[in-house]
Amino acid sequence: MKSDEKRTFYNLLKRNSEQFADINALISGEYKINYSELFKKASELASVYQKKGFSGKKIDLSPAMSCEWIIVFFALVMSGAIVVLHEPFLNVSEYIDDIYIKSDANELCFNESANGHTLVPQDENAVSLIIFTSGTSGRHKGVMLSQRNIISSAMIGVEKVGKGLLYPCDRSIPVLPLFHMFGITASIIAPMSLGMTLYIIDEMKYVIKSLSSIKPKILFAVPMIIKTMLNRALLLEKKGLSPQKIKDEFFGGLTAVVSGGAALHPELIEQYERFGIQLLNGYGITECSPIVTASSYNDFEKGAVGRVNDLCCAEVKIIDGTVHVSGDIVMQGYYNDKSEPFKYIEGKKWFDTLDNGTIDSNGNLFIQGRQSNLIILDDGNNTAPEELEVMFEKYDIIGDIMVYEAHAELGNLIAASIYPNQELVSTMTETEVYAEIEKAVNEVNSRLPIYKRIKAWKIRKSDFLRTSLKKIIRTGVNIDE
């Protein structure tokens, strides 16, 4: 969208209907809807919602990966309703006591006319969405976002990832849940801003099987999905398939994958490069709608999550060691929370992400873990668990790992809980599994200063408890398993 244009869903869909009219926006099985039809359908539905008095009301929209859900989401926001999104298990009534309607998308696909009601434009800065963070600590907060917040964040994604890589009619498959901002902004709004076609698959287990037939150009995923796809590709390679054949027949010609979350290990990036696929890092947080920056296809630094010296809608600084963000992508605040979540420096509002980070001379942002996860040893040395965990990504035997602080008679130490790669474990003895993991731990430790080395580790029999984005929940439950 143009920088001086009001950043609303209405304007976005209207522009798309003019520029990409006959291009399919959404496809699911036999169902197809192009950008012209999408704008008409969403506008008509938004008018019906306004007529029914939805404007300003909180609508608890049950999550679902479907074309209907995406259309209803657009229409609700365009009508002036406030959409409330959260993980399915969360009882949102404990946080919000004036929910107007709790419904799924199918129930809100009213097959009726607005009878001449003209859609009233909405304020781009008004709260349009309250989305509850899942968090790895178990706390839930309702993040309030405006249309300007969300579209500005999508503009950063388009500018960083899309430039020179993505074009109208290119394909993608949304694989992330739509009650997370990464799923909405990166998987839906940013690709649609470019006139891409989204193939909607309602169950994750069918996505990988569909790569070869749908032939997506790009995927937006989290590390766990990225590692799962790579493990499948490596098994095919062991069976004798060439990297090019695996790219064509398994990945469907995939060109790039954007990973949200922690920076990926350079060797994981190199593994994907062998298959002709560029693995790009992105960085974001729900409170920033969520995209803050991302690596660019033809211009990136391995280990970095993207440049921050040239952002169109935000500014990033390191203040007291943590990443701070200012600009159009920063949330309106937390719902029903009177605490001040922002810092004001020289009249400018800044949000502290609580992520430790550095910015190099070229503007590349490097994330070094969450401030709250930092392990402070008795000798005064500090270690970020994420820094160690990423070093294990190159080892096939490691399914996942959580590094944590343990306590012994002589003081605290660094420990690890390790869940082996189940596809490999099924073909190995317990002794072989132990030996392979021990070898990996020893190799990683040999590359670390003494104070950062893992002093104790154990093998898990079951997977970690996780958020819906497959992030490990860092609690005693996971440690004590």
Side-chain angles (χ1 to χ4, degrees), residues 421-429 432-433:
N421 180 339
Q422 296 303 295
E423 292 185 3
L424 290 182
V425 168
S426 62
T427 64
M428 302 169 68
T429 66
E432 289 171 334
V433 171

Side-chain angles (χ1 to χ4, degrees), residues 156-210:
I156 291 176
V158 167
E159 180 184 72
K160 289 292 183 179
V161 178
K163 191 174 181 180
L165 172 64
L166 302 175
Y167 300 93
C169 296
D170 282 343
R171 301 174 179 184
S172 186
I173 306 172
V175 299
L176 301 170
L178 296 181
F179 46 86
H180 282 285
M181 285 311 300
F182 189 30
I184 292 173
T185 306
S187 297
I188 304 295
I189 296 175
M192 293 181 79
S193 298
L194 292 165
M196 293 176 61
T197 298
L198 301 181
Y199 283 74
I200 309 302
I201 299 175
D202 60 359
E203 290 191 52
M204 181 61 209
K205 64 182 179 181
Y206 297 123
V207 170
I208 294 178
K209 295 179 181 178
S210 302

